Amino acid sequence: MAQVVRNWLTTWVRAAAVSSRHASEEACVRIRRTADQPVPDQDQGQEPRRPNSTRRAVLTGGAVGLAAVAGTSLVRTPAADAATTNITQITPTGDATGVNDTTAIMTAIAALTDGGTIYLGPGEFYITYVPGVSTLSPYAISLPVQTSAGASGGMGVNIQGCGSATVVYVVGNYTGFFVHRSAQYGQQYGKPGQQTAVFLRDFVVDGTNAGASSVGVDIGDGWGYDLNLVIVNFTGASAIGLYIINRLMFTEKGRFRAHLMNNTTAAKLSVDNTATSDVSHEYNIYDFYIFGNENQQGVVTDNGSSNGGCVLWLHGNMSNTASTNGTPTGGVAALTITGSDGNGNYTQFYSSEIVMKIEGNPGVSPGNTPPYAIYLGSSSNAIQQCHGIITHSLTTSVLNNGEFSFRGLIPGDSGLSVIYTGSPGSGETSSSQPTLPATNTAQQNYGPDTMVYVNGGTVTGVSLSGVATNQTSGGFFLPAGGYITVKYTGTPAPTWTWVPASRSSF
């Protein structure tokens, strides 16, 4: 009986598998047939739904397509297609002046009054500032992050490409894409969730034909941007590949992934101090792959931008500078943190993760000085209570006494790993051992992780970050940002020795 049951189960399982396979094959045939050769609607007996002839003419871009639909809706489709009316595909026109492609893209954007997505097909696009077409100067494409005015306005327009097959060339001394909200959010608490920002994905922005102060992408002001681009060849004297800047309000909780190659400045995180007092770049994820030629800057953050609770992944290659005296030309660095907003807010990374691996390469110049790894502009600039790993084959970092309280391994860079805390309350690092302060005075560690060895004197107690150790001598591990207090009496006073604990020999 058991054998009969087993045989029956085996037959049933095989039959079910065959039935399932046939169903899957039929489904795949239907999918392929739908994708490759649309079939009529089986229920309605009608032709498959597709953009009407007016819209198809526009999708090819160019003056001919635009002229063919003068006075008509760019994305007008049958009522049954309401769900697809906010998707527009554009193909390049081949006009190297940039006028036709800019006109096609801006016209498509203008038609997406409730937001939507522009799909850039494969090929080479050219964009430039076109008076009467480009809505803001000096920006070729102004991408609305909100298509309705006011604090609650939203429904932005996105742009998606076809990966490396879609290349957008910026022509002239202009910015390629300007992507910002036009109004602040207003009251945030006690209201519905605010409108998130837009995405730009999967295409290349190329500055080969751009000018001295051109910018690939100028983006900011909003919650939740999603950017994934390749930005290359913005090599003018003050050109920038990716410019993440607060022009109106905060730029927060976004994901910025970019391959940044051969740009005068790969990326800049900044604040327009003439237009906004909001310095927050908090809670962003920056995932940057850089390739810098001679004297090209890596990532620069300035004007008081406040990068708190962020993730910075910085990887890639940088060429030697032309200098031969051991000092990188122009202070070129993989990561520069400098300046303030003039109102007491100094540029910082704090409470963030920093994972940095940059390779120094000879390049084509006779220079033999790699860029700095990290450069702090002043003692008020800081990497404060961050963690991660920093490794490179660049020139030793320069902190200018700015705070570098960092937890994690730092192979090789003595400017970061063999550094000491400044005096209590200074918020600075020092290149020399700290002096033991007066009894019962807290000394915070403004440097990386360290061991503190207390010896001699009449010590009655040692506490770490306010917690008594019940020890009066010996070694004490003091993490970055923590503080140690030594209580002692009489003379001679005890001594202490700080031994950095973050340096790796690899």
Side-chain angles (χ1 to χ4, degrees):
M1 182 64 180
Q3 182 63 42
V4 171
V5 171
R6 281 196 296 272
N7 291 340
W8 180 83
L9 285 173
T10 301
T11 302
W12 182 86
V13 168
R14 288 175 176 171
V18 169
S19 176
S20 174
R21 185 175 69 251
H22 287 170
S24 298
E25 291 173 349
E26 290 176 2
C28 289
V29 169
R30 287 197 299 272
I31 291 172
R32 289 196 298 270
R33 184 172 59 195
T34 300
D36 299 336
Q37 187 176 359
V39 298
D41 190 314
Q42 298 299 317
D43 296 327
Q44 302 297 327
Q46 299 173 346
E47 285 298 310
R49 291 179 290 186
R50 59 171 67 93
N52 62 24
S53 58
T54 296
R55 186 178 175 210
R56 289 199 302 273
V58 172
L59 300 190
T60 62
V64 174
L66 292 169
V69 295
T72 66
S73 171
L74 184 72
V75 289
R76 187 176 62 191
T77 55
D81 275 351
T84 64
T85 58
N86 291 348
I87 300 175
T88 303
Q89 180 175 325
I90 298 176
T91 57
T93 67
D95 172 24
T97 70
V99 173
N100 285 349
D101 287 339
T102 301
T103 301
I105 295 172
M106 289 301 298
T107 303
I109 289 173
L112 297 177
T113 56
D114 294 322
T117 298
I118 303 291
Y119 282 87
L120 300 180
E124 296 181 340
F125 292 83
Y126 295 86
I127 60 174
T128 190
Y129 173 73
V130 180
V133 175
S134 303
T135 54
L136 292 172
S137 176
Y139 311 110
I141 303 298
S142 296
L143 193 67
V145 181
Q146 55 183 122
T147 53
S148 55
S152 61
M155 304 300 184
V157 177
N158 311 288
I159 295 186
Q160 171 116 27
C162 300
S164 60
T166 301
V167 182
V168 182
Y169 289 96
V170 178
V171 179
N173 197 27
Y174 304 112
T175 292
F177 295 90
F178 182 84
V179 192
H180 292 261
R181 277 186 63 90
S182 57
Q184 298 189 31
Y185 286 125
Q187 181 179 339
Q188 298 180 56
Y189 294 96
K191 297 288 185 180
Q194 53 206 13
Q195 183 69 36
T196 54
V198 300
F199 65 75
L200 290 86
R201 300 176 184 155
D202 306 329
F203 59 96
V204 180
V205 183
D206 194 310
T208 298
N209 303 312
S213 58
S214 57
V215 175
V217 177
D218 185 314
I219 188 170
D221 302 324
W223 172 311
Y225 283 102
D226 188 352
L227 180 143
N228 188 353
L229 297 177
V230 176
I231 305 176
V232 299
N233 300 328
F234 286 86
T235 58
S238 56
I240 301 170
L242 175 59
Y243 201 8
I244 304 173
I245 179 171
N246 296 1
R247 297 192 179 278
L248 178 70
M249 54 182 285
F250 63 77
T251 304
E252 293 184 353
K253 308 169 186 73
R255 295 174 179 265
F256 300 92
R257 181 182 183 186
H259 290 263
L260 303 163
M261 296 176 283
N262 190 32
N263 301 298
T264 301
T265 296
K268 180 174 280 194
L269 322 177
S270 192
V271 177
D272 183 351
N273 294 327
T274 65
T276 178
S277 60
D278 196 325
V279 298
S280 177
H281 284 249
E282 295 177 312
Y283 320 119
N284 289 320
I285 296 177
Y286 304 112
D287 187 359
F288 294 149
Y289 297 86
I290 64 173
F291 187 93
N293 281 308
E294 181 183 342
N295 299 336
Q296 292 183 340
Q297 288 279 9
V299 176
V300 176
T301 180
D302 65 2
N303 285 1
S305 55
S306 179
N307 299 280
C310 293
V311 173
L312 173 63
W313 295 328
L314 182 56
H315 306 105
N317 307 71
M318 297 188 75
S319 172
N320 286 352
T321 70
S323 171
T324 57
N325 63 2
T327 301
T329 302
V332 172
L335 175 61
T336 299
I337 302 174
T338 188
S340 74
D341 68 345
N343 297 311
N345 297 304
Y346 285 87
T347 310
Q348 295 183 338
F349 264 91
Y350 66 95
S351 302
S352 294
E353 175 183 276
I354 299 175
V355 175
M356 177 174 162
K357 167 64 171 72
I358 302 293
E359 179 182 336
N361 301 116
V364 297
S365 167
N368 60 2
T369 305
Y372 294 116
I374 295 175
Y375 186 89
L376 301 187
S378 76
S379 61
S380 296
N381 299 124
I383 291 176
Q384 185 182 76
Q385 298 187 27
C386 294
H387 70 278
I389 184 170
I390 298 173
T391 181
H392 61 84
S393 54
L394 304 176
T395 294
T396 297
S397 298
V398 170
L399 299 179
N400 286 317
N401 295 326
E403 181 173 345
F404 181 75
S405 46
F406 182 86
R407 296 213 66 193
L409 292 180
I410 308 171
D413 191 329
S414 60
L416 299 178
S417 60
V418 185
I419 199 75
Y420 305 99
T421 188
S423 59
S426 68
E428 299 178 359
T429 58
S430 172
S431 59
S432 58
Q433 288 272 344
T435 301
L436 179 72
T439 181
N440 212 30
T441 300
Q443 168 68 72
Q444 189 168 4
N445 180 15
Y446 304 118
D449 293 348
T450 192
M451 290 293 296
V452 181
Y453 293 89
V454 178
N455 294 286
T458 304
V459 178
T460 59
V462 177
S463 64
L464 297 177
S465 299
V467 178
T469 65
N470 295 323
Q471 303 293 319
T472 57
S473 65
F476 302 89
F477 176 72
L478 187 61
Y483 62 93
I484 183 171
T485 306
V486 180
K487 190 174 182 179
Y488 57 92
T489 61
T491 56
T495 61
W496 65 10
T497 302
W498 289 51
V499 178
S502 64
R503 190 171 193 180
S504 168
S505 60
F506 293 104

